Amino acid sequence: MPSTPLLMGVVNVTPDSFSDGGRWLRPDAAIAHGRELLADGADILDIGGESTRPGATRPLVEEELGRVIPVITELAAGGATVSVDTMRAEVAQAAVSAGARIVNDVSGGLADPAMLDTVAATDATYVAMHWRAHADHMRDFAVYDGPGGVVAAVRDELAQRVEAMRAAGIPDDRIVLDPGLGFAKRPEHNWQLLADLGSLQALGLPLLVGASRKSFLGTLLAAGGHSRPVGEREHANTALTVLLAQQGVWGLRVHDVRAAHDAVRVLTRLEQEEQG
């Protein structure tokens, strides 16, 4: 298995993201942060203007455009491979026009019926995540009682989205899938998916995994009845980075790029030694 996943560095141009809400809201701050992530080893910068933390409300489309387009324009002009994290076709179109090469849609095309046709008309890679509902009520949909549990449900629902993408004209070589850790999933669902990524890889398409700083890690590391704070979950995510790299995932969406990059370098060096 290859052990060099692409590292997608997170740039939240939002006031309310769960991990760093407000720190990079100003365009100049977001641009500077993106450049720092590139220096730390990011292969892709994922620019998002809408928080998808549990319970979040949606910004107006004009707000989202105003947050992300200046940042995408500047970073793409500097040579960065930029992804736009959006569920809106209008934002995706504007972002690609501004230089984005990837559309990272956490809804997999379900939130905006124009998204798939919009992406198909571009050359952008499309990341489609498993999704059931918007952030303000997605917890109501974290039920996986059918045969095969959460793994079978996510696999089958992603397969349905793949058929919709193909029907819209998006070719397989521009499709990446994401199991959607934390989205309409309880902690045990996330662990079950991580333990059986092979069932999702059997769909024959690359996988992007975003576990960084998510609440299921905080729950695992809880002490005294309190979840481990967001900023203190990075060591756990670094362990996951190594394990997921060994499983051959296409990419990892991370906040601490340097930690992930260092972990992948160590693993790659050991594999080189083993191969002689």
Side-chain angles (χ1 to χ4, degrees):
M1 280 289 189
S3 57
T4 53
L6 296 174
L7 298 180
M8 177 182 279
V10 179
V11 182
N12 290 318
V13 194
T14 59
D16 56 346
S17 291
F18 80 94
S19 64
D20 50 16
R23 293 186 67 188
W24 324 118
L25 181 59
R26 296 193 332 271
D28 59 336
I31 292 164
H33 183 53
R35 289 172 177 156
E36 290 172 355
L37 295 179
L38 291 172
D40 286 343
D43 300 292
I44 303 164
L45 297 178
D46 193 39
I47 316 299
E50 175 180 354
S51 173
T52 52
R53 64 175 175 80
T57 56
R58 307 196 72 191
L60 298 173
V61 65
E62 294 81 10
E63 289 179 298
E64 187 179 352
L65 284 165
R67 292 172 183 175
V68 302
I69 298 305
V71 179
I72 291 170
T73 300
E74 183 69 19
L75 291 171
T81 299
V82 174
S83 165
V84 61
D85 181 356
T86 186
M87 292 182 276
R88 289 173 163 141
E90 182 177 346
V91 176
Q93 180 63 68
V96 172
S97 297
R101 294 161 57 185
I102 300 168
V103 176
N104 181 17
D105 179 2
V106 300
S107 80
L110 291 171
D112 187 336
M115 179 65 90
L116 298 186
D117 288 339
T118 297
V119 173
T122 73
D123 293 325
T125 295
Y126 185 59
V127 180
M129 196 190 78
H130 177 263
W131 183 88
R132 285 184 163 183
H134 283 292
D136 58 351
H137 62 288
M138 65 181 175
R139 287 173 170 150
D140 298 335
F141 293 83
V143 178
Y144 300 92
D145 293 336
V150 66
V151 174
V154 170
R155 180 197 62 218
D156 293 348
E157 289 169 31
L158 281 176
Q160 292 170 8
R161 300 314 302 150
V162 171
E163 290 308 309
M165 290 176 241
R166 290 169 175 162
I170 304 175
D172 283 14
D173 62 4
R174 286 170 45 204
I175 297 174
V176 176
L177 302 179
D178 182 336
L181 301 180
F183 286 78
K185 296 173 187 72
R186 303 189 186 283
E188 62 270 23
H189 298 144
N190 299 313
W191 291 113
Q192 289 161 17
L193 285 165
L194 287 168
D196 195 6
L197 286 180
S199 292
L200 305 184
Q201 289 172 315
L203 293 172
L205 293 165
L207 283 187
L208 172 71
V209 178
S212 180
R213 298 183 180 175
K214 289 192 173 174
S215 62
F216 75 98
L217 296 177
T219 300
L220 173 71
L221 303 172
H226 300 287
S227 177
R228 176 78 64 86
V230 170
E232 299 177 17
R233 302 170 185 172
E234 204 57 54
H235 296 311
N237 191 66
T238 301
L240 274 179
T241 294
V242 174
L243 295 171
L244 293 169
Q246 290 176 315
Q247 293 185 58
V249 299
W250 173 85
L252 297 169
R253 187 176 184 274
V254 297
H255 295 84
D256 189 335
V257 170
R258 176 174 288 185
H261 189 251
D262 288 352
V264 170
R265 286 180 67 187
V266 169
L267 180 59
T268 300
R269 182 64 183 86
L270 285 173
E271 290 187 343
Q272 289 172 347
E273 194 66 25
E274 291 170 354
Q275 294 165 8

